[in-house]
């Protein structure tokens, strides 16, 4: 097992890596590099040696697979006819092996259906105990479950709160430009979009439901 271990997971999307990839690699120098199918190319593009590649391999040709295996990568092939996406398989595999701090790159791109599906993976029950973030460019995306949360950044950072799987209620904040005071955010209205940090950190409490937090450095 790898209790408490770190992993960087690369999906087969469009990746705007910097500055968060460099910062993440510095903060997680021993992280396992896991690729969801064609995400292996993104990892290699940024000079990373892939440890595990998972998926149906429809986005990797045989030559690329041979290069990955020659470099020491473990290849876990799944059938094309499956219920899960390759990224879902990769995240579940990591969680089952007790990787607890997961950072996902390449989860967004030019397919809206895949992007929406990837964001919804944040709510998988298998990932409840993981510190999971999806990163791209200046954006960090994570899920807030009921309880108290802290948001760290800089004054002026853009904060958006989007309910997932129904309304999220009992939301109270401290440190945002437009505070929430025991309020409910429902799917549909965009009231939680484009708030801002007023200082280096904010605090938020959620009584029920799920919130997707999109934290963009600076003004989005």
């Amino acid at each position: 097992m790898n209790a408490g271990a770190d992993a960087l997971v690369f999906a087969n999307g469009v990746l705007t890596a910097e500055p968060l990839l460099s910062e993440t690699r510095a903060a997680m120098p021993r992280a396992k590099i896991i690729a969801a199918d064609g995400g292996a190319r993104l990892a290699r593009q940024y000079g990373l040696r892939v440890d595990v590649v998972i998926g149906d391999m429809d986005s990797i040709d045989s030559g690329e697979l041979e290069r990955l295996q020659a470099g020491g990568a473990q290849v876990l092939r799944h059938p094309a006819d499956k219920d899960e996406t390759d990224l879902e398989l990769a995240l579940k595999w990591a969680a089952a092996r007790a990787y607890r701090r997961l950072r996902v790159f390449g989860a967004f791109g030019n397919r809206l259906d895949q992007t929406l599906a990837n964001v919804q993976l944040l709510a998988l029950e298998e990932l409840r105990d993981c510190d999971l973030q999806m990163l791209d460019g200046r954006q960090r995306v994570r899920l807030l479950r009921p309880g108290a949360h802290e948001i760290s950044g800089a004054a002026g950072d853009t904060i958006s709160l989007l309910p997932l799987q129904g309304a999220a209620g009992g939301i109270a904040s401290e440190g945002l430009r437009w505070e929430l005071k025991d309020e409910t955010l429902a799917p549909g209205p965009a009231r939680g979009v484009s708030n801002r940090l007023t200082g280096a950190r904010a605090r938020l409490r959620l009584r029920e439901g799920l919130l997707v937090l999109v934290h963009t450095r600076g003004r989005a």
Side-chain angles (χ1 to χ4, degrees), residues 125-189:
E125 186 61 27
E126 294 93 331
L127 304 176
R128 174 181 284 274
D129 296 328
C130 296
D131 171 8
L132 170 62
Q133 296 181 17
M134 296 180 175
L135 295 85
D136 185 79
R138 296 182 292 131
Q139 298 181 101
R140 291 182 182 270
V141 181
R142 60 187 173 103
L143 186 72
L144 304 183
R145 296 180 183 273
H149 303 275
E150 185 172 282
I151 305 169
S152 299
D157 283 0
T158 302
I159 301 296
S160 291
L161 300 167
L162 304 172
L164 186 66
Q165 298 181 354
I171 306 167
S173 66
E174 179 183 345
L176 297 180
R177 171 66 179 82
W178 295 280
E179 300 288 18
L180 296 161
K181 300 179 180 179
D182 194 28
E183 298 182 48
T184 296
L185 293 178

Side-chain angles (χ1 to χ4, degrees), residues 35-116:
D37 203 326
R41 285 195 302 275
L42 291 182
R44 286 167 56 87
Q45 176 184 335
Y46 288 94
L48 299 175
R49 186 180 71 83
V50 175
D51 296 303
V52 182
V53 57
I54 301 171
D56 56 18
M57 309 305 158
D58 66 343
S59 300
I60 301 180
D61 61 32
S62 58
E64 178 70 13
L65 271 180
E66 289 176 3
R67 286 190 291 273
L68 288 165
Q69 290 177 306
Q74 179 183 7
V75 176
L76 302 176
R77 187 188 293 270
H78 289 258
D81 293 334
K82 61 187 189 307
D83 293 329
E84 305 90 348
T85 64
D86 294 324
L87 178 57
E88 183 176 352
L89 290 171
L91 291 173
K92 287 181 175 179
W93 184 91
R97 284 150 187 81
Y99 288 95
R100 288 294 172 256
R101 192 161 58 152
L102 305 174
R103 299 294 181 264
V104 180
F105 294 88
F108 313 132
N110 55 14
R111 277 193 58 182
L112 181 59
D113 55 345
Q114 289 280 11
T115 298
L116 292 173

Side-chain angles (χ1 to χ4, degrees), residues 188-208:
R191 182 161 179 260
V193 174
S194 295
N195 212 325
R196 292 201 295 274
L197 287 179
T198 58
R201 59 179 43 84
R203 293 177 177 83
L204 185 141
R205 180 173 292 277
L206 171 64
R207 186 174 64 244
E208 59 188 9

